[in-house]
Amino acid sequence: MAKNYDRFETKVIHEGYNSVDYQDSLAPPLYQTSTFTFKDAQQGERRFAGEEAGYIYSRLGNPTVSILEERMAALENGEGALAFGSGMAAVSAVLLSLTKANDHILCSQGVYGCTFGLLNLMEEKYNITHDFSAMESAEEIRNSIKPETVCIYVETPINPTMKLIDLEMVASIAKEKGIPVIVDNTFSSPYLQKPLDLGCDIIIHSATKYICGHGDVIAGIVAGKKDLMDHIRMTTQKDIGGVISPFDAWLLLRGLKTLPVRMDRHCENAEKIAAFLKEQPGVDKLYYPGDPDNPNYETMKKQMSKPGGLIAFTLKGTKETAQRFMNELKLIKIAVSLGDAETLIQHPATMTHAVVPEASREKMGITDTLLRVSVGLEAWEDIRDDIMQALNKVQ
Ligand code: PLP
């Protein structure tokens, strides 16, 4: 795959697309088609046999989707990328492509609720087992790897507690064992963190979030080495079929152009809101990797260019206090998802992580007063004022 530009800010706009090849259209065209016509039966035969390049059917490939995949591969410094109809379609395609019955997956202690659900489903149906590890030391990771472990699955920052895992450390142990490391890079976007550069093998995005940035698409991305991408494309992507629609790929290409500008603003606003929250007497704990008192601060500086736009915090009080606080907010919207222009707040224990049993939630640090905020692009003072008035009402 040709890489034309070195700088991220240029890649998000130009990589994978040359207007000369598309009737000089400045914006990439939307190929809103399910299938492609062959000039004759023999051409169809050659394309199916892989003897001639060209499109066949949009579940197997589509020109608009290809531009997105090429651009995402370039942004993650991968050899290839695949686009999916949701982040979960991406997670399931990756995990099902790498495992078979009786295998074992080692996971970070804390994953997105539906990823947790998928891991349980794979265990129930196929005896593909999993264990969670805090992954705080090399020894702990080594001790958690079993003979039947076929991959390591990591979220960092972990949803929703913002705990970080040292990706270089995980990747070096996985190399010793000859198994791949998969990283859910949703919370950082490739602008803030590039796990492939740190030795990991596959990255996954819920592209619904920062990649899209506008709250109007559900999509997923996978990127990594060409052989792994080819394997996933020809197995779980093709045959389970969770592909992205061309229109959603087109919207992601549009959203991507402003990713660095948006991320800078998300990070800037989050830093100010986190500093404000830290000073509030009604706030019990703050979980923000950019906080110098955060135990993962050094890891953040090592592997992320900035701490990101997500903050979690606990309120003093009970679940009712947390819910009353949410209900008092006016500008900030109560919604799951993240990475949008709008500031969003959610209550993980009853929303994104409600499927996780209470005992596991506790291990993940998801208490009843924990709230997660995706800091948006509004004037930060307006976000602060909204939080302040709601805090005043519940204290
Ligand atoms: N991974 C993370 C970290 C997420 O937060 C989410 C969704 O919130 C997903 C994966 C799943 O993505 P999607 O909702 O696009 O299927």
Side-chain angles (χ1 to χ4, degrees):
M1 196 169 279
K3 301 278 187 303
N4 298 312
Y5 304 99
D6 291 331
R7 293 189 180 84
F8 195 90
E9 290 77 359
T10 308
K11 287 189 205 181
V12 290
I13 297 169
H14 295 285
E15 198 65 63
Y17 183 67
N18 187 353
S19 58
V20 174
D21 301 331
Y22 297 89
Q23 312 262 5
D24 304 314
S25 170
L26 175 70
L30 168 58
Y31 285 82
Q32 186 69 25
T33 183
S34 59
T35 197
F36 298 83
T37 57
F38 307 127
K39 34 176 213 284
D40 52 34
Q42 286 75 16
Q43 186 183 46
E45 184 179 2
R46 286 195 303 277
R47 288 210 182 158
F48 268 90
E51 292 162 8
E52 178 188 299
Y55 293 96
I56 296 175
Y57 183 67
S58 281
R59 179 159 45 75
L60 314 178
N62 170 286
T64 309
V65 175
S66 298
I67 298 166
L68 173 67
E69 290 177 340
E70 202 168 320
R71 192 163 295 173
M72 280 307 307
L75 296 180
E76 287 286 1
N77 293 339
E79 291 172 3
L82 304 167
F84 288 86
S86 71
M88 284 317 300
V91 174
S92 54
V94 169
L95 288 180
L96 291 169
S97 77
L98 295 180
T99 53
K100 59 179 183 356
N102 307 320
D103 283 344
H104 174 259
I105 304 168
L106 181 64
C107 298
S108 53
Q109 180 76 62
V111 286
Y112 172 59
C114 295
T115 304
F116 184 87
L118 173 71
L119 290 165
N120 284 337
L121 191 85
M122 288 168 68
E123 186 153 337
E124 272 165 40
K125 279 182 159 313
Y126 312 115
N127 195 35
I128 299 166
T129 57
H130 60 271
D131 281 305
F132 295 106
S133 160
M135 300 190 184
E136 279 171 0
S137 71
E139 200 191 354
E140 187 188 352
I141 302 169
R142 265 193 211 102
N143 290 343
S144 310
I145 295 177
K146 300 178 171 181
E148 60 273 26
T149 307
V150 292
C151 60
I152 301 181
Y153 187 95
V154 174
E155 258 183 44
T156 180
I158 295 178
N159 184 6
T161 49
M162 308 306 296
K163 190 172 169 274
L164 304 192
I165 287 174
D166 183 331
L167 289 175
E168 251 173 353
M169 176 174 73
V170 178
S172 71
I173 296 160
K175 286 240 151 48
E176 281 169 18
K177 305 279 177 187
I179 54 176
V181 179
I182 306 152
V183 180
D184 184 328
N185 205 25
T186 300
F187 272 34
S188 302
S189 90
Y191 184 57
L192 302 182
Q193 175 172 275
K194 292 195 183 57
L196 301 179
D197 289 357
L198 300 171
C200 302
D201 300 278
I202 295 182
I203 67 94
I204 296 177
H205 282 286
S206 168
T208 313
K209 312 294 167 16
Y210 288 113
I211 303 294
C212 168
H214 294 76
D216 46 17
V217 171
I218 297 280
I221 294 287
V222 172
K225 292 220 171 64
K226 187 176 177 316
D227 56 341
L228 286 169
M229 296 304 105
D230 288 348
H231 175 63
I232 298 167
R233 190 188 289 283
M234 295 315 291
T235 56
T236 46
Q237 189 186 44
K238 173 172 80 67
D239 297 333
I240 298 178
V243 292
I244 194 169
S245 80
F247 181 53
D248 285 348
W250 186 85
L251 283 171
L252 291 190
L253 282 166
R254 191 165 72 153
L256 264 180
K257 291 184 187 183
T258 54
L259 179 70
V261 183
R262 287 186 282 109
M263 290 312 293
D264 282 343
R265 178 65 173 267
H266 282 299
C267 293
E268 215 176 281
N269 278 358
E271 195 180 338
K272 291 175 178 156
I273 295 298
F276 164 74
L277 284 169
K278 202 175 173 184
E279 298 306 314
Q280 302 314 302
V283 172
D284 191 18
K285 290 198 185 84
L286 175 72
Y287 301 97
Y288 170 64
D291 175 7
D293 295 333
N294 185 298
N296 295 140
Y297 184 66
E298 290 308 319
T299 308
M300 185 282 292
K301 285 210 294 195
K302 187 175 140 195
Q303 66 189 23
M304 297 173 75
S305 58
K306 292 182 183 183
L310 271 298
I311 301 171
F313 60 97
T314 56
L315 285 179
K316 287 181 187 150
T318 61
K319 174 180 160 189
E320 286 65 38
T321 320
Q323 289 187 327
R324 266 198 302 129
F325 169 78
M326 292 170 86
N327 292 342
E328 291 295 345
L329 292 166
K330 293 185 169 53
L331 172 76
I332 299 172
K333 307 293 175 216
I334 303 174
V336 293
S337 205
L338 57 108
D340 296 328
E342 296 82 358
T343 298
L344 305 179
I345 191 163
Q346 68 113 351
H347 184 246
T350 57
M351 296 180 181
T352 48
H353 291 68
V355 294
V356 180
E358 205 177 333
S360 304
R361 273 209 308 269
E362 242 158 56
K363 277 194 203 149
M364 294 179 182
I366 304 170
T367 62
D368 278 353
T369 61
L370 181 78
L371 295 166
R372 189 195 75 191
V373 177
S374 168
V375 179
L377 305 178
E378 301 97 338
W380 82 272
E381 296 91 339
D382 289 335
I383 306 170
R384 175 202 58 196
D385 292 351
D386 197 26
I387 294 173
M388 193 150 51
Q389 64 81 23
L391 277 177
N392 287 340
K393 290 205 178 101
V394 299
Q395 271 161 21

